[in-house]
Amino acid sequence: MTKVKIGFWGLLAVLTMLWVAADPFALAPVGFFPFRDGMVQITGILGMACMSAAMILSLRPRWPERWLGGLDKMYRLHKWLGIGGLVLAVVHWLWSQGPKWAVGYGWLTRPARGPRPVPDSAIEQALRSLRGTAEDIGEWAFYAAVLLIAVALIQRIPYRLFYKTHRWLAAVFLVLVFHAIVLTQFGYWTTPLGIAMAMLMAYGSVAAVIVLLRRVGAGRQVQGSIASLTYYPELRVLEGEVSVPQGWPGHRAGQFAFVTSDTAEGAHPYTIASAWSDAERRVTFITKELGDHTRTLRDRLRVSQEVKIEGPYGCFTFEDDRPRQIWVGAGIGITPFIARMKQIALERPGVRQEIHLFHPTADYSAEAIAKLTADAARAGVRLHVLHDARHGRLNGERIRAEVPGWREASIWFCGPGGFGQALRQDFAAHDLPPSRFHQELFAMR
């Protein structure tokens, strides 16, 4: 999360400093309306910067994934940028419209302005002639952006509707780029601020076109077919094995992929629950009936059905040099640990770490636990299964009691976000370095 914050606030801080350098008197104007003009400019610049960066990240580029610690963190930054862009757009709109309302009600008096000098630059003249158009379509694009971002953030809105409408933000973004180019103070464009904004909006515009053409991740997609399906009724979990005869580059335990079984529904992210074998070329996914889409998979999927897989993504790959690791796979969060145990079983005797796996679960399936126990035995992992109804809740104190050498361990957590945060804070209070607590933020919306 620290790097997500650095990415978000760092972008805003750098552009604000570039703005101050480009217009050092903007924060010390004479009168309200010159101050208002400066606020309109900076809020518009920062809002477009957030939207441009969010659009770029929507392509799922490789270069920031490793620095941020995985695509899950990149999506968290994408979400922050979207919310930041929305807030800044609202503030920008209020600075633009509010004084006009105040003048209309007689609360403010607009100072008289003489005729504007004719610009020497033909480009500036052309941009000035488009100001009215840019203001009008920019306002309507702002309303559309507010609505579409609200659809993305409101979890009660079905994923299918979110998937169909979220792409429209790319078209809205292109309209706002035109709005920004026309209405940004012309003198800014020859400064470092203008160069930075031009690069951001140019890259963002290319990303928007790719999104509109539905080509996001196209180079990392392969065709596969469902080889087997197993349903665990006690857990409301469906396990599917997908055959990928060619194209799949392989994956590491802990990574995930986007799977498309219905083009109308779009791609959904699922953690991979299998080790990779070039001989078998199969990828296993485990899904729990948690939402409107996953509740229907059992009825809609069938063996031999064609699916599309995109990936692999993620950095939750168990890499460290600690003498022991503590894994906590809560509920369906057990998935990456299943993949890692299968990988260790293939690699042995190369793995030397002492590993404890805690699997707290509210639901219980003897068949699923038997498979988990067998995987743990083959990998040499010490398994601790805690059924909530019988054993109570798992907490940091219980983990420390079971693993006396926890101070030398790293902790790898996958499960409900609130539970993970509570464990993180608990171990931090007992002086475990934050860098040794790894948590998958598996929320792509």
Side-chain angles (χ1 to χ4, degrees), residues 141-197:
F142 161 73
Y143 299 143
V146 170
L147 177 61
L148 292 172
I149 293 175
V151 170
L153 295 175
I154 299 173
Q155 297 293 323
R156 289 183 176 274
I157 294 177
Y159 184 91
R160 181 187 295 263
L161 179 60
F162 157 75
Y163 171 75
K164 289 181 177 179
T165 60
H166 201 56
R167 189 172 60 253
W168 299 349
L169 272 171
V172 172
F173 172 78
L174 292 174
V175 174
L176 290 173
V177 168
F178 169 74
H179 171 86
I181 291 173
V182 172
L183 297 177
T184 297
Q185 189 169 305
F186 187 74
Y188 290 169
W189 293 115
T190 56
T191 68
L193 171 66
I195 295 171
M197 287 302 299

Side-chain angles (χ1 to χ4, degrees), residues 224-227 229 242-243 260-262 297 299-308:
S225 62
I226 298 176
L229 293 167
V242 178
S243 174
T260 303
S261 58
D262 179 355
L297 288 178
D299 297 323
R300 292 193 291 108
L301 298 183
R302 65 185 186 280
V303 173
S304 77
Q305 178 179 337
E306 294 293 316
V307 296
K308 186 185 299 181

Side-chain angles (χ1 to χ4, degrees), residues 102-242:
V103 169
Y105 285 115
W107 299 339
L108 286 175
T109 301
R110 183 186 295 276
R113 288 191 298 188
R116 291 183 176 180
V118 178
D120 296 330
S121 167
I123 296 176
E124 186 175 1
Q125 291 181 33
L127 292 176
R128 185 172 291 183
S129 69
L130 295 171
R131 288 184 66 88
T133 301
E135 288 175 349
D136 291 340
I137 66 172
E139 183 174 356
W140 284 106
F142 161 73
Y143 299 143
V146 170
L147 177 61
L148 292 172
I149 293 175
V151 170
L153 295 175
I154 299 173
Q155 297 293 323
R156 289 183 176 274
I157 294 177
Y159 184 91
R160 181 187 295 263
L161 179 60
F162 157 75
Y163 171 75
K164 289 181 177 179
T165 60
H166 201 56
R167 189 172 60 253
W168 299 349
L169 272 171
V172 172
F173 172 78
L174 292 174
V175 174
L176 290 173
V177 168
F178 169 74
H179 171 86
I181 291 173
V182 172
L183 297 177
T184 297
Q185 189 169 305
F186 187 74
Y188 290 169
W189 293 115
T190 56
T191 68
L193 171 66
I195 295 171
M197 287 302 299
M199 293 175 63
L200 277 171
M201 290 193 294
Y203 194 172
S205 296
V206 171
V209 172
I210 293 173
V211 169
L212 289 171
L213 294 176
R214 302 188 180 187
R215 298 295 296 169
V216 174
R220 302 178 75 172
Q221 294 175 354
V222 300
Q223 290 295 129
S225 62
I226 298 176
S228 67
L229 293 167
T230 304
Y231 184 68
Y232 300 92
E234 301 93 341
L235 304 177
R236 293 174 293 113
V237 161
L238 180 67
E239 179 181 316
E241 194 175 37
V242 178

